[in-house]
Structures are given as structure tokens and as C-alpha cells.
Amino acid sequence: MSPSPASPAQTVPAARRALPGAPFLAAARGERPGRTPVWFMRQAGRSLPEYRALREGTSMFEACFDPEMLAEITLQPIRRHGVDAAILFSDIVVPLKAAGLDIDIVAGTGPVVAEPIRDAAGVRALPVLDPEQVERVADGVRLLVGSLGETPLIGFAGAPFTLASYLIEGGPSRNHEHTKALMHSEPALWHELAGRLADMAITFLSAQLDAGADAIQLFDSWAGALSERDYREFVLPHSAKVLDAVAGYGVPRIHFGVGTGELLVAMRDAGADVVGVDWRIPLDEAVRRLGGGVVQGNLDPALLHASWPVLEAEVRRILAEGRAADGHIFNLGHGVLPGVDPDVLTRVVGLVHEIQQ
């Protein structure tokens, strides 16, 4: 495997908040807080009219690099829904953009790369992310830490495989054919690319943690496209590098992917304190496969469009299944879909909080 740049040194901020009463942090430690904590992926925006009004005329990247705007967007679902954790408003490709890559987020499509990376020259030309290039994101984190009170803030980054997939495919992909072809045909080159992207994720997460983030989530959104054998050989070492690099901060590390029911143990083995579970398998089955531990999930996002009796029954079922875990953080199995009535999300939060563990 080709050497990659040294990982950034860890520094723990002296001002990190003590949040002993936060249910989210307690559950992440495998404790049983007085109520099941709940937050939603993609809660910062998507369905909120106040988000759409604030974002009008502003591109995604402009919003992600504006400290005041990203802080305000992050706070909006806290005010409206009363969720137990904030998730930083950002995008997994923000560090790629910050490092200087020609990448855009196209409405209705997602991240699109101008020049896909599929050979050694492209990999060697991949820039190294400097912490100063994401300083405005860190400024937003510092604003949030001063505004969130007792609510924890989750920072996040994209995992090396998912970032590599965007770079190799040129955008979202159904089959990840170019990624898998490079992975198997040129494994040394793959590991060099994944190693460089791991370093980028470490820099991005470290910037958020140094600014005071209380937990992190590593999104490996597309890892479910892989077999467990391929995941362990080509992906796990690089995700483990990221999660290990931030272990010294002492904050919960969540690892999440879509369609990863067959990869849960491997994703846990990469160094996760909390394993995110999508809606395709029951939480109690996920806990059985994991042999215990803390899980996060796993309401099907589409059911937020269902009638309330249907949705209520699903929430109650998931909470019951979550009792099999050492700790359970209620969430969706993926992100909030556009068009969801925000009042439904607020009602789900209230239901989760009122049901006794």
C-alpha cells in the first residue's frame, strides 16, 4: 500500500462541554437514560419551510461554508422538534470541495465530479486537505457550541469508500461498477486513494472536534453495495483508520451505511461505539448479529408519509425492538425525505419521549 500523508495530530479542546444530563450521550455510552433519545438524519433542512426560506438564492456549498448560516440551519430542527441531538449542517463532499476539487452538488442528482479519478495520475493529484480550508466550518461549530445549551452536537464526515465512489464514478451510482473494477483490478491504487481520503476525513472530523463537537458520525452511505469479504479487505482498514484517529477525543463514534445489514459486525469492528441500522432488518435482529452494544435507528423514512396510526405502530415496534440493545438512539433508517410534514416529525419526537424504556 502506498504511503499517505500523516494524520493530523489530535488536540482536545479545553472548552469541551460537560453534558452529564444529555440522553443522547448516555445512550451512546450504553446507559439507559430516562427517555429514549431521538434525532433524525437530514433533520437540518429538507422538510422545514424556514430552511427553504433561508437557503433561497444560496447554493449548498455557500451555505456549508457560511458559519452563521450553517449554525442557524443546524439549530432550526432543535427549536422546532425538540430532538436530543443536533447534526451539523454540512455535506460529506464538503472536504473535497474545500481541498480544491471541482465538484458540485446538483439539485435532484447529488454530488457531481467534473473529472472522475480512475488512474494513478488522478490519485496522485488528489490534494491534501489543510485544516485552514475548513476553518469556516469550525467557526460554525464554535457558534453552535455556544448556542445549543444542553443539546449535544454531532459532527460528521463521509467514509473513504463512499467518497471514493463519488470521485471514481463521477457522481451517484447504482452499481458502482468503476469503483469495484478499480478496487479489484488495481488494489494498490485503490488503497492509496482510500488512504488519502481517510486522511481528509480525519482532518475534517478533527476540525469539528477541536471546535467542540460532542460526537461524530462516519457516513459510509454506499457501503451496502459491497460483500462482507470486499468490505473487510478494501474498506474496513481505512474506516478503522478514521475512527481510530479520533478515538482520543473520547466522544461517541457512530458508523452508518445504507443496506448494510450483512456488514453490521464488520462496521462495528472498524471501531464504532454506535452502529447505525437502516430499516431493512429489525433492531433486535441487528443486536443479535452484533452480540449486543448500542444501535441507532431505524424507522423507514417513507413511513413519515403514512397515516398516524400506521406511523405510531411502527415507532412503538422499533422502540420495543431497541430494548434488546445495551443502548438505543431512535432515528430513521436514512434521512428525512423532501416533502415530509415537519409537524409529523415533531409528533414522532413527542411519542418517542413519552414511551417509557
Side-chain angles (χ1 to χ4, degrees):
M1 187 186 304
S2 300
S4 56
S7 301
Q10 297 175 31
T11 57
V12 179
R16 187 175 302 284
R17 299 179 296 163
L19 301 172
F24 166 80
L25 295 176
R29 293 190 296 263
E31 301 170 7
R32 296 279 183 176
R35 69 186 191 211
T36 301
V38 52
W39 68 278
F40 304 112
M41 286 179 279
R42 295 197 192 124
Q43 68 185 14
R46 305 283 284 193
S47 64
L48 299 183
E50 56 266 41
Y51 165 78
R52 293 193 294 271
L54 183 62
R55 274 284 314 280
E56 187 173 359
T58 304
S59 73
M60 180 66 175
F61 280 133
E62 287 173 332
C64 288
F65 287 103
D66 182 322
E68 289 77 16
M69 183 173 286
L70 75 85
E72 169 59 23
I73 293 170
T74 302
L75 288 165
Q76 286 176 347
I78 308 303
R79 299 190 194 107
R80 180 183 275 263
H81 303 311
V83 287
D84 294 291
I87 177 76
L88 181 70
F89 177 74
S90 189
D91 191 274
I92 63 172
V93 297
V94 159
L96 301 177
K97 182 71 170 180
L101 287 171
D102 189 353
I103 187 168
D104 195 13
I105 299 175
V106 178
T109 300
V112 175
V113 180
E115 296 184 13
I117 295 175
R118 296 176 183 170
D119 57 23
V123 172
R124 308 276 156 73
L126 190 68
V128 175
L129 180 67
D130 188 291
E132 292 184 0
Q133 294 171 310
V134 290
E135 183 61 20
R136 292 183 66 79
V137 177
D139 287 341
V141 171
R142 283 186 276 269
L143 288 174
L144 284 162
V145 168
S147 303
L148 278 167
E150 296 299 306
T151 302
L153 174 64
I154 306 168
F156 74 88
F161 171 77
T162 292
L163 293 180
S165 177
Y166 281 122
L167 290 178
I168 296 168
E169 303 294 337
S173 173
R174 181 182 298 273
N175 299 310
H176 307 275
E177 59 267 33
H178 298 293
T179 306
K180 293 181 178 181
L182 188 147
M183 186 184 283
H184 285 272
S185 301
E186 300 186 67
L189 184 62
W190 163 263
H191 284 297
E192 182 176 354
L193 172 59
R196 288 170 179 263
L197 293 172
D199 289 326
M200 197 174 289
I202 292 166
T203 298
F204 191 43
L205 288 174
S206 296
Q208 297 170 58
L209 289 162
D210 289 341
D214 305 292
I216 62 99
Q217 178 158 306
L218 189 65
F219 281 87
D220 212 349
S221 306
W222 309 133
L226 300 171
S227 67
E228 183 180 5
R229 179 186 61 197
D230 284 354
Y231 179 89
R232 287 188 177 275
E233 179 177 353
F234 295 111
V235 177
L236 189 152
H238 304 289
S239 292
K241 177 182 178 180
V242 176
L243 293 169
D244 181 65
V246 298
Y249 287 95
V251 305
R253 298 163 298 168
I254 309 168
H255 202 182
F256 171 77
V258 181
T260 51
E262 300 303 320
L263 303 179
L264 294 177
V265 173
M267 293 180 75
R268 190 269 319 278
D269 291 349
D273 302 304
V274 180
V275 178
V277 183
D278 80 357
W279 66 93
R280 291 171 175 86
I281 65 170
L283 281 185
D284 51 1
E285 170 60 16
V287 172
R288 186 192 67 77
R289 295 183 187 190
L290 290 163
V294 182
V295 294
Q296 178 177 277
N298 66 341
L299 179 68
D300 185 340
L303 293 181
L304 293 171
H305 291 275
S307 66
W308 178 252
V310 169
L311 184 54
E312 179 181 2
E314 285 297 297
V315 170
R316 291 182 180 277
R317 176 185 63 79
I318 290 164
L319 287 170
E321 291 169 353
R323 294 191 185 103
D326 297 325
H328 175 212
I329 299 165
F330 190 96
N331 208 311
L332 304 179
H334 201 194
V336 176
L337 297 171
V340 168
D341 181 350
D343 290 342
V344 171
L345 287 170
T346 304
R347 196 172 180 185
V348 168
V349 172
L351 178 61
V352 172
H353 284 168
E354 77 179 33
I355 295 174
Q356 297 297 313
Q357 291 205 71

